Amino acid sequence: MARRRMIYEGKAKILYEGPEPGTIVQYFKDDATAFNAEKKAVIEGKGVLNNMLSEHFMVGVAGIGIPNHFIKRLNMREQLIKAVEVIPLEVVVRNVAAGSMSKRLGIEEGTPLSRPIVEFYYKDDSLSDPLVTEDQIVAFQWASPQDLDEMVAMALRVNDFMSGLMFGVGIKLIDFKIEIGRLFDGDFQRLILADEISPDSCRLWDIETGRKLDKDIFRHDLGDLADAYTEVATRLGVMPKKSGGPSGPTLVK
Ligand code: UDP
């Protein structure tokens, strides 16, 4: 196959020109980074898991009418997506205090929030993605007030969907990050969900044990990241259950 033109290489993904105008191939790497890429590692299998999981979540949210960039999965590491102009904001939704919010406001990790909180961070690595206000977003024309209303509504709908899906498999959705892009269609443009939804961009805690099943495992050296992501994928039925050798009769206690 002819070598494809690379459009962009990020920390965890590479974007290639797609087969048709308006399409892009999104390739999931095994690279993991944290703390603005100060910590790096290659975690075998992470890209495959995130590709499958992101497909599962994007198809799911599309099913409740949240438009997104996913077209189809091409293979274990790649998916075909719609080209959008990504709004330079990370939209974070929180259900339980954790991470940067706990640190900034001195709220103990694990404290449930009385309502979901939506926050915006300006995507700029050289500034370490600072938290920004809606007024700043409008004044600097990263998004209009109407865009912001739509983004908040979309983020809260994704939160409801993802919280329910995770609850069903014994996992609490603590917080997550999404990115939103503008899809142009002639004179029209609409906002659609872009990037990925995966355990790289969520906090997921086992409801029973509190075990972390997300990228915090890598951030804080808490164990095997690929094992945890496989656990999430298995519970959701995205990956077949690990077989412990040849299947045979099971012991009934
Ligand atoms: N997040 C992300 N990418 C980022 C920053 C945050 O995917 O560049 C996700 C993170 O995994 C968590 C949520 O957004 O699920 C909230 O992250 P937080 O602001 O607590 O930042 P962190 O603790 O990652 O510094």
Side-chain angles (χ1 to χ4, degrees):
M1 200 177 84
R3 225 178 134 61
R4 291 168 304 186
R5 197 173 72 84
M6 189 172 93
I7 300 171
Y8 174 79
E9 176 158 12
K11 288 175 226 148
K13 297 186 292 290
I14 305 176
L15 302 181
Y16 296 99
E17 211 165 60
E20 282 150 34
T23 66
I24 285 177
V25 174
Q26 179 163 251
Y27 175 97
F28 288 77
K29 300 195 281 186
D30 280 343
D31 300 22
T33 63
F35 311 118
N36 204 12
E38 271 170 40
K39 180 169 178 167
K40 288 185 196 163
V42 174
I43 294 164
E44 206 181 316
K46 181 177 83 83
V48 173
L49 285 155
N50 280 351
N51 185 26
M52 309 285 263
L53 282 164
S54 196
E55 171 189 13
H56 187 69
F57 300 138
M58 289 293 185
V59 169
V61 296
I64 61 158
I66 302 173
N68 68 73
H69 73 169
F70 181 82
I71 302 172
K72 66 174 179 182
R73 187 163 58 79
L74 298 171
N75 54 50
M76 295 295 272
R77 286 189 181 272
E78 294 177 328
Q79 46 184 247
L80 190 66
I81 57 170
K82 292 176 192 159
V84 295
E85 183 187 292
V86 175
I87 293 175
L89 297 169
E90 300 197 330
V91 186
V92 168
V93 183
R94 302 178 186 276
N95 299 304
V96 174
S100 70
M101 198 187 75
S102 283
K103 222 176 280 161
R104 192 179 313 111
L105 302 180
I107 300 171
E108 197 186 340
E109 275 222 347
T111 309
L113 303 172
S114 60
R115 47 174 264 182
I117 293 176
V118 180
E119 297 172 342
F120 296 96
Y121 293 82
Y122 179 53
K123 267 166 71 79
D124 185 330
D125 284 343
S126 68
L127 300 172
S128 303
D129 299 345
L131 180 68
V132 287
T133 65
E134 297 200 8
D135 267 358
Q136 289 169 336
I137 293 169
V138 173
F140 295 119
Q141 295 177 1
W142 297 320
S144 69
Q146 193 193 335
D147 292 337
L148 280 171
D149 284 350
E150 242 181 272
M151 290 166 80
V152 169
M154 195 186 287
L156 290 174
R157 290 197 70 205
V158 172
N159 186 43
D160 284 346
F161 177 84
M162 290 291 295
S163 295
L165 191 69
M166 291 299 174
F167 183 75
V169 295
I171 295 172
K172 174 91 187 151
L173 178 64
I174 304 300
D175 58 28
F176 65 94
K177 183 261 312 185
I178 53 171
E179 296 187 22
I180 292 169
R182 299 180 196 282
L183 181 70
F184 294 97
D185 181 9
D187 285 345
F188 288 102
Q189 60 141 319
R190 60 188 184 122
L191 300 186
I192 68 171
L193 189 57
D195 192 50
E196 72 181 289
I197 309 177
S198 77
D200 266 7
S201 49
C202 299
R203 283 197 172 88
L204 304 169
W205 296 357
D206 182 81
I207 289 175
E208 290 278 308
T209 63
R211 178 185 163 206
K212 291 185 163 80
L213 297 166
D214 57 62
K215 211 170 90 176
D216 272 351
I217 295 172
F218 170 69
R219 291 190 186 98
H220 307 297
D221 301 315
L222 300 175
D224 189 321
L225 189 79
D227 256 13
Y229 287 19
T230 302
E231 170 77 27
V232 175
T234 307
R235 287 198 202 180
L236 289 166
V238 173
M239 288 267 173
K241 284 200 168 50
K242 262 193 218 156
S243 72
S247 60
T250 44
L251 184 67
V252 179
K253 285 184 192 162

